[in-house]
Amino acid sequence: MTNSPYAPAAMLNPVVDFISHSVAQTQRIGARLGELLRPSDVILLEGDFGSGKTCLAQGIARGLGLGVLVNSPTFTLINEYPARDYGSRLTFYHIDVYRLSQPVPELLDLGIDDYLYGQGVCVVEWAERVVTLMPPDHLAIKLKFISETKRGIRMEPSGNRYVGLLHEFRKRAFGL
Ligand SMILES: Nc1ncnc2c1ncn2[C@@H]1O[C@H](COP(=O)(O)OP(=O)(O)OP(=O)(O)O)[C@@H](O)[C@H]1O
Ligand SMILES: [Mg+2]
């Protein structure tokens, strides 16, 4: 803490925007974030095909302590990784709504709120398709294809919990 009456720049502008240069780097960033997550945290992943959403989700799972490489749900909407079965710090819910033609009613049918407001961590791929169902407080991560090996990663927090989370993340990942 300083005695300055001004908030540090990082607190005023909590958005984190950078470029990942490799799959390993994207996973590592995810892991740094995963280490900081708490029960009922919600991470929304947005971006085109192949922009790296699943890759980042793999890192988040690793950061939670899951010993397996998670993959996008293929036949189910939600892959559940209960903490007790995977030896992780928290239960991990990996949600991918891309394949749904009517994602909003289908998620409602599944009782999505039980996941979003439960004791685990939710990571939602293609979250922009179900934005009306998502909690107002969340961390949105927007991924962009830049070149074969480069991806833009922009993290935007909504709500105090996620501003604080991003502040911690920035310190841990970049020392800022
Ligand atoms: N810096 C990088 N970060 C992440 N992925 C990268 C990077 N460079 C190259 N890639 C490649 O981009 C692809 C990312 O795939 P991934 O499944 O994570 O994307 P996605 O956003 O989940 O796609 P989808 O919308 O199909 O689910 C992989 O083939 C990966 O090898
Ligand atoms: Mg994916």
Side-chain angles (χ1 to χ4, degrees), residues 54-102:
T54 299
C55 187
L56 194 63
Q58 289 169 339
I60 292 172
R62 194 171 87 205
L64 289 170
L66 265 91
V68 296
L69 189 67
V70 309
N71 263 308
S72 253
T74 312
F75 301 109
T76 53
L77 247 182
I78 304 180
N79 275 355
E80 297 190 27
Y81 300 89
R84 65 175 180 280
D85 296 342
Y86 288 85
S88 55
R89 205 163 53 72
L90 295 169
T91 290
F92 178 62
Y93 299 114
H94 190 182
I95 302 166
D96 189 334
V97 302
Y98 180 70
R99 286 161 206 83
L100 301 182
S101 53
Q102 300 281 329

Side-chain angles (χ1 to χ4, degrees), residues 110-124:
L110 278 177
I112 187 66
D113 280 0
D114 293 345
Y115 296 93
L116 294 171
Y117 297 98
Q119 288 304 297
V121 163
C122 284
V123 170
V124 187

Side-chain angles (χ1 to χ4, degrees), residues 23 36 40 54 56 81 84 86 95 99 108 132 139 143 152 166:
V23 169
L36 300 171
S40 75
T54 299
L56 194 63
Y81 300 89
R84 65 175 180 280
Y86 288 85
I95 302 166
R99 286 161 206 83
L108 284 172
T132 55
L139 180 66
L143 295 110
L166 209 52

